[in-house]
């Protein structure tokens, strides 16, 4: 089996050919200066550019670099999950490929870990080079999520964090497919703390998180950690029936004791539109949950790996520390 190292760094990549060599260099200089054994696990999430071949080149010259190559784009959270499954370190760091999370913070995270913390997450005290729209939606979203969930997910944190092996193993045992890793880490518990950092501008290239993917991640976050939206239907239904009942009394009174019964066409239309709108939105909420239940029920692997590079020393990377049963096994190797 592969010899466990001290620190594993997981880097998910989707079309990052412009940044990946710089990322490798900056990571390497920080990690070498720390003087501990380490590995860098790059996960290629179905990039359509030269990302994978660049990392293959790095793997040839540096045995501490490893590549997990996906068969297609599975999304950031699953790329991170795969990376974690393949790590062997005592500690595991998750970091973005675009250098928005400064690698120079890693030694500070390791120090906090040495003090006895199991999770050290990076808290963004400022975000540079992001649109006001992204900042505003992010700020609102984190607060909304806090309101909706009972799990205490710290606000303004990304996936940039250091975890102890036992936390990483706990997450690897959670095989749910709508993954919101920050939430899952909070759910897992253990001793957690934060270090502050300034989120830099993307080093090069464009964001790989368009609005569509952000919305999906938000929906995953809420549905994975809260059933409050489902309860909304009950509460709204109750309030509306109460209002309807009051209105019924008013109408009856007008009909029986006065002469001015209203023609009332427009109010009917308003009420009808309002109620249909509410009913359909709540059906949509149900759909979000049922869709996810269906996805879980199919029990497909979370991701499909088409190639692994520089893992040769290990017989089965997934057996490092985590026991998995048949249905859990998430690797389908094409070779
Ligand atoms: N990423 C990925 N798969 C995707 C989208 C993004 O692996 O489908 C990676 C991406 O290469 C980067 C990280 O996830 O390393 C964060 O993405 P990005 O920087 O584009 O998001 P942003 O910082 O703009 O929120
Ligand atoms: Mg980024």
């Amino acid at each position: 089996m592969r010899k466990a190292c001290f620190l594993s760094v997981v880097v998910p990549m989707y079309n990052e050919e412009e940044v990946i060599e710089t990322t490798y260099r900056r990571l390497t200089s920080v990690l070498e200066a720390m003087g501990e054994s380490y590995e860098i696990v790059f996960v290629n999430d179905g990039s359509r550019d030269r990302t994978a071949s660049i990392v293959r080149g790095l793997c040839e010259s540096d045995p501490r670099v490893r590549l997990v190559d996906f068969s297609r784009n599975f999304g950031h959270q699953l790329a991170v999950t795969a990376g974690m499954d393949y790590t062997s370190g005592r500690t595991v760091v998750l970091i973005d490929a675009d250098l928005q999370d400064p690698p120079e913070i890693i030694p500070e995270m390791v120090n906090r870990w040495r003090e006895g913390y199991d999770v050290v997450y990076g808290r963004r005290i400022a975000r540079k080079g992001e649109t006001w729209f992204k900042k505003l939606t992010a700020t609102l979203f984190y607060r909304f999520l806090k309101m909706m969930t009972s799990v205490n997910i710290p606000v303004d944190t990304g996936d940039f964090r250091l975890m102890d092996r036992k936390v990483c193993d706990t997450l690897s045992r959670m095989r749910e497919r709508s993954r919101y890793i920050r939430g899952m880490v909070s759910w897992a518990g253990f001793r957690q703390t934060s270090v502050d950092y300034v989120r830099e501008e993307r080093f090069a290239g464009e964001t790989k998180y368009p609005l569509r993917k952000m919305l999906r991640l938000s929906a995953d976050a809420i549905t994975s950690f809260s059933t409050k939206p489902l309860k909304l239907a009950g509460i709204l239904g109750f309030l509306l029936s109460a209002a309807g009942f009051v209105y019924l009394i008013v109408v009856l009174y007008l009909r029986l004791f006065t002469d001015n019964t209203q023609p009332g066409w427009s109010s009917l239309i308003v009420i009808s539109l309002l109620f249909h709108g509410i009913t359909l939105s709540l059906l949509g909420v149900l759909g979000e949950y049922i869709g996810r239940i269906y996805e879980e029920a199919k029990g497909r692997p979370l991701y499909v790996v088409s190639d692994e590079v520089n893992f040769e020393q290990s017989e089965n990377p997934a057996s490092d520390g985590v026991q998995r049963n048949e249905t859990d096994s998430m690797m389908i190797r094409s070779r």
Side-chain angles (χ1 to χ4, degrees), residues 12-14 16 45 73 75-76 96-98 100 134 199 202 207-209 213:
M13 314 172 295
Y14 180 53
E16 302 285 11
D45 186 11
N73 180 248
H76 172 222
D96 281 358
D98 58 2
Q100 281 196 287
K134 181 142 188 169
R199 190 153 163 89
R202 196 172 229 289
T207 176
K208 308 299 179 306
Y209 254 99
K213 282 188 182 168

Side-chain angles (χ1 to χ4, degrees), residues 118-119 163-172 185 188 190:
D118 299 310
V119 177
M163 288 175 280
D164 187 85
R165 164 65 29 203
K166 59 186 180 230
V167 182
C168 184
D169 287 349
T170 306
L171 258 69
S172 289
V185 173
F190 297 104

Side-chain angles (χ1 to χ4, degrees), residues 184-256:
M184 292 164 67
V185 173
S186 301
W187 181 92
F190 297 104
R191 291 193 65 200
Q192 310 212 355
T193 186
S194 64
V195 293
D196 291 348
Y197 75 103
V198 174
R199 190 153 163 89
E200 298 292 339
E201 261 173 69
R202 196 172 229 289
F203 177 74
E206 287 176 351
T207 176
K208 308 299 179 306
Y209 254 99
L211 187 62
R212 179 177 52 84
K213 282 188 182 168
M214 276 197 332
L215 286 176
R216 197 192 155 87
L217 183 67
S218 330
D220 279 347
I222 293 170
T223 52
S224 303
F225 289 97
S226 172
T227 49
K228 273 188 197 162
L230 287 172
K231 293 170 190 147
L232 221 66
I235 298 167
L236 269 179
F238 177 78
L239 289 179
L240 287 174
S241 336
F245 185 72
V246 172
Y247 191 57
L248 178 77
I249 307 271
V250 173
V251 170
L252 276 179
Y253 174 82
L254 291 176
R255 179 76 183 80
L256 294 176

Side-chain angles (χ1 to χ4, degrees), residues 145-146 149-154 182-188 224-225:
L145 183 66
K146 201 174 178 67
T149 60
S150 46
V151 180
N152 190 13
I153 304 172
R182 301 151 221 195
M184 292 164 67
V185 173
S186 301
W187 181 92
S224 303
F225 289 97

Side-chain angles (χ1 to χ4, degrees), residues 47-65:
S47 302
R48 281 180 300 251
D49 62 2
R50 290 170 37 248
T51 304
S53 60
I54 296 174
V55 176
R56 269 170 213 278
L58 297 175
C59 284
E60 272 168 28
S61 59
D62 187 344
R64 295 164 302 189
V65 175

